[in-house]
Amino acid sequence: VPEAVAAIIPAAGMGSRLSAAAPPGPPKALRLLAGRTILQRSVDVLADEVDLIVVAAPADRLERLHFHRPGVRIVVVGGGATRQESVRNALGALSESVTHVLVHDAARALVPGAVVRRVLAALRDGARCVVPVVAVPDSVRGVTADGGTAPLDRAAIRLVQTPQGFTVDALRRGHAAARTELATDDATLVEATGETVTLVDGDPLAFKITHPLDLLLAEAVLGR
Ligand code: CTP
Ligand code: MG
């Protein structure tokens, strides 16, 4: 089967912001959320939409992680010290036949399939770099290191989610051209190489499980 569309799932983070106020547990993506791990939930959503999934997992957990879904090849590689390095490691495991790739934070475990399909539809329409976004509910201020602050127009701001979608060459070039290890998403790297970013509607359910309150929210959503 030609693996035309792949998904990379960076899942190697420790979840330090989640653990700060909670009892010590496994790395964030391997925490249980209503009976299934955060990572398993992200894999399950993407497995319905792509041909190949490459998970970048904590290096010391590799031999214990196995995923099986009919019709999808699922590969696990070791993650890196940064999200960016984890994605780069996963890029090295893509098959030659892959033309398009999604990159999805494992921590966005409740992402609706409809968001994934909107990103894929934009790629099918010819986009090379696709980002799902949502509006900002709060008022927003910009701050500077020297203590200055100024209001920002929230209507001009969007929050960036995943999965982000790319042609495989655009994503590879973005990572190859990166000059720091600090990128918190992939579109930032790809856009820096001159690519145009196409926005599609994200969804509040694609929120990133980051703080303890996010875990409670996810459990409540799943239990409702
Ligand atoms: N990630 C990764 N490799 C890293 C760091 C992060 O694969 N070295 C992944 C995380 O597993 C997560 C996604 O990138 O799915 C988004 O990162 P984030 O929410 O920041 O997760 P953590 O880095 O684990 O959390 P924290 O920053 O609070 O430690
Ligand atoms: Mg992090």
Side-chain angles (χ1 to χ4, degrees):
V1 187
E3 289 161 342
V5 183
I8 287 171
I9 305 184
M14 288 301 113
S16 52
R17 285 169 290 180
L18 190 63
S19 303
K28 181 164 80 176
L30 303 179
R31 278 183 186 259
L32 281 175
L33 185 53
R36 270 192 288 161
T37 65
I38 287 173
L39 172 58
Q40 181 72 56
R41 289 182 180 280
S42 283
V43 167
D44 289 346
V45 175
L46 287 164
D48 288 336
E49 314 294 342
V50 303
D51 308 300
L52 166 68
I53 296 176
V54 181
V55 174
D60 59 336
R61 306 285 175 134
L62 290 192
E63 58 293 346
R64 275 180 283 168
L65 286 176
H66 301 281
F67 301 92
H68 299 284
R69 286 281 299 238
V72 190
R73 195 159 73 88
I74 305 179
V75 178
V76 184
V77 302
T82 63
R83 182 190 182 283
Q84 196 175 323
E85 187 181 2
S86 293
V87 172
R88 204 159 60 230
N89 289 356
L91 266 172
L94 292 188
S95 331
E96 284 295 314
S97 53
V98 170
T99 59
H100 293 83
V101 58
L102 306 180
V103 183
H104 179 63
D105 294 328
R108 298 180 190 274
L110 271 49
V111 62
V115 174
V116 184
R117 290 189 289 276
R118 281 197 286 275
V119 173
L120 290 171
L123 291 175
R124 235 176 277 120
D125 287 347
R128 297 170 52 82
C129 176
V130 184
V131 175
V133 295
V134 292
V136 183
D138 300 294
S139 299
V140 183
R141 296 186 73 85
V143 297
T144 58
D146 61 16
T149 91
L152 297 174
D153 177 10
R154 82 174 170 210
I157 307 252
R158 296 291 182 274
L159 298 178
V160 167
Q161 302 184 322
T162 72
Q164 298 179 353
F166 307 93
T167 61
V168 75
D169 53 307
L171 183 61
R172 283 193 199 282
R173 275 208 299 270
H175 275 264
R179 281 174 304 190
T180 73
E181 281 290 324
L182 302 174
T184 55
D185 77 340
D186 301 279
T188 302
L189 298 176
V190 171
E191 187 173 27
T193 67
E195 297 286 355
T196 301
V197 176
T198 299
L199 302 186
V200 299
D201 286 338
D203 191 294
L205 283 173
F207 71 96
K208 187 161 66 68
I209 298 171
T210 304
H211 296 110
L213 189 57
D214 300 318
L215 203 54
L216 281 178
L217 175 62
E219 280 164 357
V221 168
L222 290 167
R224 93 189 142 181

